Amino acid sequence: MSVRILALVGSLRAGSHNRQLAEAAAKLAPEGAEVVIYEGLADVPFYNEDTDIEGQVPAAAAELRAAAQAADAFLVFSPEYNGTMPAVLKNAIDWLSRPYGAGAFGGKPVAVIGTAFGQYGGVWAQDDTRKAVGIAGGKVIEDIKLSIPGSVTRFAETHPSDDAEVAGQLTEVVTRLHGTVGDVVAA
């Protein structure tokens, strides 16, 4: 069975280290798993229930929901902005939580990882992201975690896929997430 893992990256910056982690995860995905990086988060308008009307949902939000519906699992990459997740990531979670009770996360497995400049690698943001995704309907896999500290120096001249330690950790994350898909469906 081929498993489609949708990667949501919480940084829009061109040189984002979290984006580089997502690229590395896509490159290192095991056979039978495909990691697809969602490209349109910058275009999704802020969630507003007044615009979330069936048949009238903004195109960018509808595209995000369609991509999420087509996914078997999610791999969320969160940097840490002022001690929490970035607004673009929270906004995506808000859109994917609706319609209430039938959101696109739909009990699918979700792993949250990331990197940040600080000494803890963004754990606060990642914990907040796990909480929001779980409330939004995702099946957060709590024991899949990866927080890489010191991103600015660690990845200054090295792409995460070329860092042997990080590549090994990412491969394990994607392999473990891939392995949970059947377990969550059967539960």
Side-chain angles (χ1 to χ4, degrees), residues 77-151:
F77 296 83
S78 184
E80 191 165 275
Y81 290 5
N82 297 313
T84 192
M85 76 180 94
V88 69
L89 192 52
K90 177 63 168 76
N91 188 50
I93 294 167
D94 289 345
W95 277 105
L96 295 176
S97 73
R98 301 295 182 150
Y100 181 76
F105 284 117
K108 296 175 185 176
V110 181
V112 179
I113 66 173
T115 186
F117 178 63
Q119 66 180 335
Y120 301 112
V123 293
W124 289 349
Q126 292 162 33
D127 287 345
D128 287 347
T129 303
R130 285 183 194 92
K131 176 183 174 186
V133 167
I135 291 169
K139 171 66 175 136
V140 177
I141 310 302
E142 292 288 346
D143 66 341
I144 298 178
K145 295 182 178 181
L146 177 59
S147 301
I148 304 167
S151 61

Side-chain angles (χ1 to χ4, degrees), residues 47-58 62 65 95 99:
Y47 183 80
N48 178 343
E49 196 170 358
D50 291 340
T51 63
D52 190 6
I53 300 165
E54 190 173 338
Q56 298 178 21
V57 172
R65 284 179 174 168
W95 277 105

